[in-house]
Amino acid sequence: MQEFADSPDGTRFFTAYDALIARGGGRPLEVESGHGVTRVNTYGTSPGTPIVLLPGGGATSASYVNVVGRLAESRRVLTVDIIGDAGRSRPGPGRPRTTDELSTWLDATFDALDVESVDLVGHSYGAMIALAYATGVHRERVRRLVLLDPTSCFGGLRLRYLAHAVPTLIAPTPRRQRRFLSWETRDATLDRTWTEMYCAGAQYPTGPTIVPKRPSREESSKLQGGKIVTAIFAPDSRAHHSPRVAARLREHLPDARIIMLGSGTHHTLPLEPADEVATSVLDAVE
């Protein structure tokens, strides 16, 4: 990690990350546990159940920079850098190596923050972690679950998406990361500072990605009742066919709320469309 931090890409990554958190008015906390040190950025001071935001892989908690201000007007918001992924969390010797241990890490983070219950929001890989947590032994801690364009939760990834993603997975470079981002977002104009961070993060040293398995119908049924789950889909996602995944989700969870945004792709979320994303999340956790 230190070697990366001292590299040109590391300098660009952390400078951009810190600028994004400062712009959103985030107050950084470092939470220590047996798993390592977890960076949590806090926004707002409202009492009650906080909204916890988990980012997609490599995107870091700074990917919520465009929506945290709106959410924090009425709720306390906690954005979490996933331990073992890009960001300012630092795994220790007890770093999670299984899905169960990843859920235990998240639970330990909530314990350290003295948070009894949460409205848990996850995008992409963060949605996979949030779903695994909410269907596991810790599910009673989740009051509401919001999944932003959830990948591999209720349906698989498109082969074309995987083909474009392979170079960034096998031999990631900032240039390849930028090219992939440009393809998936259809050349959308995204926050320049976040894009700089995301592409520089191609060189970020991470361990093997922990991939939660897709929940069975029986496991999903634990989330039935009370409109606990809301899934928010990007209509132009190239990661998967959003309407088909939404239909599959409906089969598993007939009570779930399903929202199809008016615009956006998998990798424009949650940066854009910011107002619509924020409104949808607030409606989901009301």
Side-chain angles (χ1 to χ4, degrees):
M1 178 65 71
Q2 189 59 46
E3 183 177 338
F4 171 74
D6 293 338
S7 71
D9 283 333
T11 298
R12 283 191 289 270
F13 178 88
F14 288 113
T15 298
Y17 175 97
D18 291 342
L20 290 164
I21 300 304
R23 187 205 302 171
R27 298 179 300 281
L29 295 175
E30 290 200 335
V31 177
E32 296 191 22
S33 69
H35 307 285
V37 178
T38 301
R39 164 61 76 90
V40 179
N41 299 298
T42 73
Y43 306 81
T45 57
S46 297
T49 304
I51 300 173
V52 176
L53 306 176
L54 301 180
T60 82
S61 60
S63 62
Y64 288 98
V65 62
N66 290 346
V67 301
V68 287
R70 172 85 181 281
L71 300 181
E73 288 176 1
S74 57
R75 300 286 294 276
R76 183 185 178 204
V77 179
L78 308 172
T79 66
V80 181
D81 284 341
I82 297 169
I83 201 160
D85 195 33
R88 283 203 173 276
S89 290
R90 305 187 301 276
R95 65 180 297 159
R97 290 177 170 79
T98 67
T99 299
D100 287 346
E101 290 175 355
L102 200 57
S103 291
T104 300
W105 154 73
L106 193 55
D107 209 51
T109 300
F110 295 153
D111 283 341
L113 294 168
D114 197 25
V115 171
E116 294 184 4
S117 66
V118 298
D119 288 337
L120 188 57
V121 181
H123 170 240
S124 190
Y125 181 51
M128 296 169 65
I129 295 172
L131 182 61
Y133 182 86
T135 55
V137 297
H138 309 290
R139 61 184 177 276
E140 292 183 0
R141 205 163 202 164
V142 179
R143 191 183 76 98
R144 295 284 186 269
L145 177 66
V146 185
L147 307 174
L148 300 178
D149 212 46
T151 46
S152 301
C153 291
F154 303 98
L157 296 170
R158 282 173 163 163
L159 292 179
R160 191 180 179 202
Y161 177 85
L162 290 171
H164 278 82
V166 162
T168 68
L169 298 174
I170 295 178
T173 66
R175 183 179 179 183
R176 287 178 173 176
Q177 199 87 323
R178 191 177 297 273
R179 185 185 304 142
F180 174 66
L181 189 65
S182 179
W183 170 78
E184 201 286 326
T185 64
R186 294 170 171 83
D187 295 317
T189 300
L190 296 177
D191 186 282
R192 181 178 297 181
T193 306
W194 179 85
T195 302
E196 176 81 3
M197 181 209 68
Y198 181 75
C199 293
Q203 304 296 326
Y204 195 95
T206 61
T209 300
I210 302 168
V211 182
K213 68 176 183 177
R214 196 177 304 168
S216 65
R217 192 181 298 270
E218 180 181 357
E219 290 170 327
S220 298
S221 67
K222 298 171 184 176
L223 299 172
Q224 280 291 87
K227 300 290 185 184
I228 294 172
V229 180
T230 298
I232 301 170
F233 288 96
D236 299 317
S237 176
R238 283 183 155 173
H240 51 210
H241 188 276
S242 293
R244 289 177 189 164
V245 177
R248 183 71 61 83
L249 167 59
R250 180 68 73 196
E251 292 175 5
H252 282 243
L253 294 169
D255 288 345
R257 298 178 181 177
I258 295 177
I259 298 172
M260 191 68 66
L261 297 172
S263 63
T265 77
H266 186 71
H267 289 281
T268 68
L269 265 63
L271 286 164
E272 300 294 345
D275 287 344
E276 196 175 4
V277 169
T279 297
S280 298
V281 170
L282 288 171
D283 287 346
V285 301
E286 63 183 2

